[in-house]
């Protein structure tokens, strides 16, 4: 049984970004927009800024009050779109209730859209055209590759169908010739799928929901859930302690220390990629 350590892979990605940034003549700018007071988002945004600065980016956080209007937010995004010192823009989700994320996906210009949310980038992901793709899915692929876990021809179960993770990751895995089933909370007979899976990926936000009773053959387990329990501890969507005892658990990501660090490392890499793709296109 192998523990899939995301910290090692994230470090490798960060080192490579740092080296490339050092060799560039210009300093790249990363802008992160946070609206409101979501405590988890505040922690993520602070973490992103810390890593960005350490690697050599100019990092700018724009923290807006929770009553920010749609017009004001769009105005800021457009200002950053036309600012030549900014190479990547991220709008942290979730947004406060009165703002609908669907009103903003297309506002960040595709070549600065380091979350890969713009319909142009989503389309390019589906058409397998190089573009900016979402960070967590890229991180999962990097982890699978690092540990030589085969994707091609494998039965892969993706639990969760979010725009941020489930849908783009399923598409990326399919682009790598995996046979992917996308499941979610309304799926009937979940176990019929999971017991036949070679890889199970959870991103559904149900603390410790999946245990070894869901396994039916040797399987690699990727847990993207980050849930905070009442006692303050963090856990994934899988019951890690139960899974590691199963004869079917070939490999598993811990939470924390699995996919989490890869999301930020991929974000840094996407900002560099944004710069390179744009430079190649002009
Ligand atoms: N909220 C949690 N993770 C993410 C992410 O990767 N991107 C954005 N924009 N918001 C998030």
């Amino acid at each position: 049984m192998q523990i899939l350590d995301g910290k090692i892979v994230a470090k490798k990605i960060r080192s490579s970004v740092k080296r490339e940034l050092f060799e560039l003549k210009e300093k790249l700018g990363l802008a992160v927009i946070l609206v409101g007071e979501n405590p988890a988002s505040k922690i993520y945004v602070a973490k992103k800024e810390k890593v960005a600065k350490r690697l050599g980016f100019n990092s700018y956080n724009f923290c807006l009050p929770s009553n920010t209007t749609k017009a004001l937010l769009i105005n800021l995004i457009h200002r950053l779109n036309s600012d030549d010192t900014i190479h990547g823009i991220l709008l942290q989700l979730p947004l406060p209730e009165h703002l609908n994320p669907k009103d903003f996906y297309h506002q960040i210009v595709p070549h600065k859209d380091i979350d890969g949310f713009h319909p142009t980038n989503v389309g390019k992901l589906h058409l397998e055209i190089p573009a900016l793709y979402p960070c967590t899915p890229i991180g999962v692929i990097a982890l699978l590759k690092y540990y030589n876990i085969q994707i091609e021809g494998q039965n892969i179960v993706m639990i969760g169908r979010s725009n941020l993770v489930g849908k783009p990751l399923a598409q990326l895995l399919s682009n790598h010739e995996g046979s992917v089933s996308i499941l979610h909370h309304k799926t009937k007979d979940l176990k019929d799928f999971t017991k036949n899976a070679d890889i199970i990926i959870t991103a559904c936000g149900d603390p410790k929901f999946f245990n070894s009773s869901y396994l039916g053959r040797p399987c690699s387990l990727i847990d993207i859930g980050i849930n905070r329990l009442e006692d303050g501890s963090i856990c994934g969507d899988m019951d890690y302690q139960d899974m590691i005892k199963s004869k079917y658990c070939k490999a598993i990501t811990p939470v924390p220390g699995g996919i989490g660090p890869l999301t930020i490392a991929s974000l840094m890499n996407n900002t560099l990629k944004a710069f390179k793709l744009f430079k190649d296109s002009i």
Side-chain angles (χ1 to χ4, degrees):
M1 207 271 301
Q2 180 150 45
I3 308 289
L4 305 172
D5 187 343
K7 297 194 295 296
I8 298 174
V9 188
K11 192 170 175 194
K12 207 171 141 231
I13 296 170
R14 287 195 307 266
S15 306
S16 138
V17 172
K18 188 173 181 178
R19 199 172 45 246
E20 279 199 58
L21 284 182
F22 185 73
E23 285 162 7
L24 281 180
K25 288 191 186 70
E26 62 187 294
K27 194 130 169 165
L28 305 192
L30 165 59
V32 175
I33 307 169
L34 172 65
V35 188
E37 303 292 329
N38 182 306
S41 292
K42 280 185 171 176
I43 295 172
Y44 289 141
V45 166
K47 230 174 185 173
K48 285 168 189 171
E49 182 174 40
K50 195 170 142 201
V51 176
K53 284 189 170 157
R54 217 173 63 212
L55 299 192
F57 289 102
N58 280 330
S59 177
Y60 307 95
N61 282 356
F62 296 84
C63 298
L64 308 180
S66 34
N67 63 356
T68 297
T69 61
K70 177 178 161 186
L72 200 139
L73 182 51
I74 289 179
N75 197 291
L76 170 62
I77 292 172
H78 289 182
R79 195 152 56 78
L80 296 169
N81 280 343
S82 48
D83 183 337
D84 289 342
T85 65
I86 299 293
H87 300 84
I89 306 169
L90 179 143
L91 175 60
Q92 184 71 24
L93 299 178
L95 294 172
E97 290 244 320
H98 69 285
L99 298 172
N100 183 348
K102 289 182 184 161
D103 290 332
F104 301 95
Y105 290 153
H106 58 290
Q107 298 295 349
I108 298 174
V109 281
H111 65 271
K112 296 190 182 185
D113 169 36
I114 46 179
D115 257 326
F117 277 163
H118 192 287
T120 294
N121 287 327
V122 176
K124 286 185 172 180
L125 167 61
H126 283 244
L127 295 167
E128 303 185 49
I129 296 170
L132 296 168
Y133 304 154
C135 303
T136 303
I138 295 176
V140 172
I141 300 290
L143 184 84
L144 294 174
K145 288 198 168 158
Y146 180 83
Y147 284 101
N148 284 318
I149 296 173
Q150 190 178 340
I151 300 173
E152 185 187 2
Q154 301 299 289
N155 290 348
I156 306 174
V157 163
M158 175 74 238
I159 298 164
R161 53 179 292 282
S162 69
N163 291 325
L164 196 63
V165 178
K167 278 191 262 181
L169 178 50
Q171 185 61 52
L172 258 186
L173 290 161
S174 170
N175 293 356
H176 284 80
E177 301 188 317
S179 303
V180 190
S181 305
I182 306 177
L183 315 186
H184 47 81
H185 67 286
K186 293 210 171 142
T187 302
K188 287 186 294 175
D189 307 322
L190 266 175
K191 285 185 181 174
D192 286 352
F193 292 88
T194 59
K195 284 184 176 240
N196 279 310
D198 303 300
I199 302 175
I200 299 175
I201 307 175
T202 55
C204 53
D206 289 325
K208 298 190 187 182
F209 183 84
F210 292 93
N211 57 31
S212 56
S213 72
Y214 284 81
L215 309 182
R217 62 157 95 174
C219 189
S220 298
L221 304 171
I222 308 294
D223 190 350
I224 304 181
I226 301 178
N227 309 294
R228 191 174 288 277
L229 298 177
E230 270 180 16
D231 66 3
S233 62
I234 301 279
C235 72
D237 297 335
M238 298 192 189
D239 184 340
Y240 182 83
Q241 292 305 333
D242 186 60
M243 287 296 200
I244 57 174
K245 287 188 217 134
S246 168
K247 64 177 178 190
Y248 293 136
C249 176
K250 262 180 27 185
I252 185 167
T253 55
V255 178
I259 299 302
L262 282 163
T263 298
I264 295 187
S266 299
L267 178 71
M268 301 302 138
N269 199 35
N270 259 6
T271 310
L272 177 61
K273 191 174 170 190
F275 168 75
K276 289 195 282 194
L277 281 175
F278 185 56
K279 206 163 64 91
D280 289 347
S281 73
I282 51 176

